[in-house]
Amino acid sequence: MKRCNIILIIIMLLIAGGVFYQTQDMPDEVFGTLGAAYWPRFIAVVLLIFTVLLSIQTIFSKSDSPSPINFKSGGIKRVFALFGILIAFGIALPILGFLFSSFLFIIAVMLVMGEKKKSWIFWSSVGITAGIYVIFDYLLKLMLPRPFFM
Amino acid sequence: MENVITAFSNLFNPLYMSIIAGGTLCGIFVGVMPGLSSVMGLTIMLPITFTLKGEGGILMMLGIFCGAIYGGSITACLLNTPGTANSAATCLDGYPLAVKYGQASRALGLSTYASTFGGIFSAIMLLWTAPMLAKIALKFSPAEYFGLMVFGISIVTGLSGKNVIKSMLGACLGLLLATIGVDSISGIYRFTFDTVFLGGGISFIPVLIGLFAFSQGLISVEEEFGKKGQKAANVNLKGLLPSFADIKVTFPTVIRSSIIGTIIGAIPGTGGDIASWLGYNEAKRWSKHPEKFGDGAIDGIVAPESANNAVSGGALIPLLTLGIPGDSGTAIMLGAFMMQGLIPGPLLFTEQTAKVYTIIFGLFAANIMMGFFGFAGIRMFAKIIQIPKTIMTPMIFVFCFVGTYAMNHDMNDIILMIVAGVVGFFILKLDFSIPPIILGMILGRPAEENLRRSLVLSNGDPLVFFKRPISCALIIIALLSLFYPFVLPWIRKKIALKRNGSKPQE
């Protein structure tokens, strides 16, 4: 956990630093009240204070619990496979439209989750996609993204 | 009185009634499925409710809110796994009574009766107390409002999550996200990086869906690795209505737990899980047969169920009167109210009185329908438990996509939601808590506006927040709530030291 906390502390410091950098050109006072920079800077200071507290907590903690993210575990490998599917889904969405992309996405997720029965996967995907179409496109009149050829 | 009659006539039309029924059914479905929380159900359905006109969307949210709390008890009794965290205490006695003693109908009937009673009781309390509290809140100035917002954020931060420091960091991130976009007073663009997408600020709904629902879907993908699906106990469900004798015996417990649940619900930062455990403990403490608890005691079923359902009305008290959400579920509802053009707070009671009463009576209707569906459809809900996670999880993902897209018909929102979901997955692993981030995002803008307004009114005097007693008290409580988790172990140690005379017991 300590290593994860150190990465977190670095990210928080970068965010706080980024806020100060981005607000340097903003006025401190506008129309007799606080300017646009004041509130984000105030939050950044609070963020810094709690980052320092987290650093102290991390340094002085007696026991170190195992890392909450085990990159070698089968579960996390599945999640990373899913990230790949999500990227593919993001690319396919404007091309194939919502229904075709979702149909393929559901099949891919079920396979990643370890489902083996092919007919079950196919019919579940058909059922969910059809359900989504009926509820949202047909009943709620929500225009879901169409494929490029329609 | 005129507003009450208008609210009644608004509510009792077939469209609104079917919307509440649909929401309640949807909520029970979410509650029954282990791994799907009421917050997830509310989040996924939130954009869909915007397609409903008038107060329809809010009434649907109320139905989901009530139904999901109740639905968890069905899984708790039949599977020994709470459908939602609210029903964890119900497992202790619900499962033994349903499976060990073969009285599933009695267990489920009692939980349905207690849930319905708790929900209706809290709705009565809401109807009684909310207008009174709103009258007091009408006297609030911007300084009090600022104090109230700081109080809301810090108390949720202090009480939720395993690590207060990380919860506070999360709240800061939420507050910073709320600053993105055009500054309302000076008109200056903040943190937009010259992009059109960020010009209007970070869209609240995609982040909400990503953090609450999509991240949970990812966690479910990880946790399901190597797991085999649990099978519900094969039980015969007949004669679900509880007997008069059972109602008579458990009635004092139901009343006590409903009071506990309403009070706990009204305290920001708490929630149904705390209420149900407190209700359970009190029922055991007051019982003549505490030894029976944990082995199918009927008081052990009705206590947590009436307490957690009573949270629904309790949580709406600070939400409607002060605009402060009591828990994650009401935080989402606050977002829904704002999107529908209703700004919760004392002015809501004077400017949109009929709408407020429609919401309050809607809560009554949702609880009554919950009871009806509970008794009538429990056999069907018991079968829902069997749906495998390999189907539920991709379905959640697809609902997240549709829900996000439904808001603005913008593909960028889907990408933002996925990014928020992936970030949510990792920060949940790092012991962060999601509610402070969301609350920071929701309350960030009004907090900043009230801070600036109060400084204008006080000619720039920063002590204005401490000169006014209510804002001063709220800010002090807010600060104390942050130190509470650090101070609590120290106090316990001191008490143990006093009790033992010399050395503290490890």
Side-chain angles (χ1 to χ4, degrees), chain B residues 41 191 203 399 419:
Chain B
F191 314 113
S203 211
F399 265 86
V419 171

Side-chain angles (χ1 to χ4, degrees), chain B residues 118-135:
Chain B
I120 293 172
F121 179 88
S122 72
I124 295 168
M125 289 297 117
L126 172 69
L127 181 66
W128 181 45
T129 55
M132 286 195 287
L133 198 60
K135 263 185 197 165

Side-chain angles (χ1 to χ4, degrees), chain A residues 1 4-5 8 12 15 18-19 22-23 26-27 30-40 43-44 46-47 50-51 53-54 57 68-69 73-76 78-80 82-83 86 89 93-94 98 102 105-106 109-110 112-115 120 124 128 132 135-136 140 142-145, chain B residues 48 51-52 146 163-166 168-169 172-173 175-176 179 183 185-186 188-193 214 218 220-222 224-226 388-391 393-395 397-399 401-402 405-406 409 411 414 418 422 425-427 429-432 444 447-448 451-453 455-456 482 486:
Chain A
M1 191 65 158
C4 290
N5 277 355
L8 193 69
M12 293 299 154
I15 292 172
V19 170
Q22 282 284 320
T23 54
M26 292 179 195
V30 176
F31 311 128
T33 185
L34 304 171
Y38 185 85
W39 180 244
I43 302 162
V46 179
L47 189 79
F50 281 91
T51 307
L53 286 175
L54 182 67
Q57 194 186 55
I69 305 160
S73 74
I76 204 90
R78 273 186 178 182
V79 175
F80 282 117
L82 191 64
F83 290 166
L86 286 170
F89 177 77
L93 194 59
F98 193 86
S102 296
F105 176 80
I106 294 163
V109 175
M110 287 180 85
V112 163
M113 287 189 77
E115 186 60 59
W120 180 240
S124 302
I128 296 170
I132 296 279
I135 296 169
F136 295 99
L140 293 175
L142 179 76
M143 275 286 282
L144 295 169
Chain B
I48 293 144
T51 55
L52 304 166
F146 177 72
N163 188 324
V164 184
I165 296 174
K166 287 182 181 174
M168 197 57 210
L169 289 174
C172 289
L173 291 178
L175 289 167
L176 281 176
T179 61
D183 172 35
I185 293 183
S186 64
I188 291 172
Y189 282 87
R190 293 190 295 201
F191 314 113
T192 55
F193 306 100
F214 202 81
L218 292 173
S220 154
V221 169
E222 189 197 5
E224 276 307 293
F225 182 77
K389 281 261 176 85
T390 48
I391 289 187
T393 310
M395 209 155 95
F397 287 137
V398 176
F399 265 86
F401 297 142
V402 183
Y405 185 77
H409 298 127
M411 294 270 208
I414 297 183
I418 293 173
V422 172
F425 171 77
F426 284 111
I427 63 172
K429 291 257 154 207
L430 295 174
D431 286 348
F432 267 81
E448 184 185 6
L451 169 76
R452 288 160 114 178
R453 240 180 258 157
L455 286 174
V456 168
L482 289 179
F486 300 108

Side-chain angles (χ1 to χ4, degrees), chain B residues 344-367:
Chain B
L347 289 177
L348 192 67
F349 280 79
T350 50
E351 290 172 0
Q352 291 175 308
T353 321
K355 281 190 179 177
V356 174
Y357 282 109
T358 308
I359 293 167
I360 296 174
F361 293 134
L363 187 69
F364 275 98
N367 278 298

